Amino acid sequence: MTYRTSLLTKMAVLVAIGTLSSHLLSIPTGLAKAFPIQHAINVIAAVLLGPLPAVLVAFMIALLRTLLGVGTLLAFPGGMIGALLAGLLYQRIRQHWSAAVGEVVGTGIIGSLAAVPFAMLFMGQVVGAFAFLPAFLVSTVCGAAIGWMVVGLLKKGGLK
């Protein structure tokens, strides 16, 4: 299998897992729907695929969840920023814990703050600057921990 085919296959599998599991585990938190599996997938994609493919995986999962009615528009800024920072930190440090930290900072802090103007512009909702911070942080810490453990098991098993 060529590198490109392998990359696209891994991306498709992660998008499928993220989309299908959103029907099983999604926690409503006001305007947002917390989805810890997205954060786990962001960590896994960041380590296995790199920053840009991880962002594309996060985008596709957010798009499919929104189209299927099991997600909100807030999945776009949160998931994509977290995936990007997870990938960049992993690329720089090369320790899988760094991808988990990047996901927590990217989604839990930066993504939650970016969601405020996003909610106003695209959802017509006016909220305070830290309205999404608690829900995003709880969801991303749980999901990043799961992703960190999965990546550890994958590495122990010889993958990547």
Side-chain angles (χ1 to χ4, degrees):
M1 199 181 313
T2 66
Y3 172 74
R4 176 177 254 166
T5 304
S6 175
L7 176 67
L8 289 174
T9 302
K10 290 174 187 173
M11 290 172 66
V13 168
L14 291 173
V15 169
I17 292 169
T19 304
L20 292 173
S21 63
S22 65
H23 296 287
L24 305 173
L25 180 64
S26 182
I27 306 154
T29 59
L31 286 178
K33 287 184 182 176
F35 183 45
I37 303 303
Q38 173 68 60
H39 310 297
I41 289 173
N42 284 353
V43 171
I44 295 165
V47 172
L48 295 182
L49 310 175
L52 183 58
V55 171
L56 292 173
V57 167
F59 173 79
M60 287 306 300
I61 293 171
L63 180 64
L64 290 170
R65 287 180 61 218
T66 302
L67 291 174
L68 292 170
V70 293
T72 68
L73 292 174
L74 299 177
F76 288 99
M80 293 170 63
I81 293 169
L84 178 64
L85 195 54
L88 290 173
L89 275 179
Y90 178 76
Q91 203 173 48
R92 175 108 170 125
I93 298 173
R94 288 285 180 208
Q95 298 289 321
H96 60 274
W97 60 263
S98 63
V101 169
E103 174 62 23
V104 170
V105 172
T107 298
I109 299 171
I110 299 170
S112 69
L113 295 174
V116 173
F118 199 85
M120 186 177 69
L121 289 171
F122 298 109
M123 299 170 74
Q125 300 292 324
V126 179
V127 294
F130 298 105
F132 301 116
L133 191 68
F136 277 40
L137 267 177
V138 168
S139 180
T140 195
V141 165
C142 295
I146 293 168
W148 176 62
M149 288 186 285
V150 169
V151 168
L153 292 172
L154 289 173
K155 283 193 169 205
K156 190 180 258 189
L159 184 63
K160 179 117 170 129

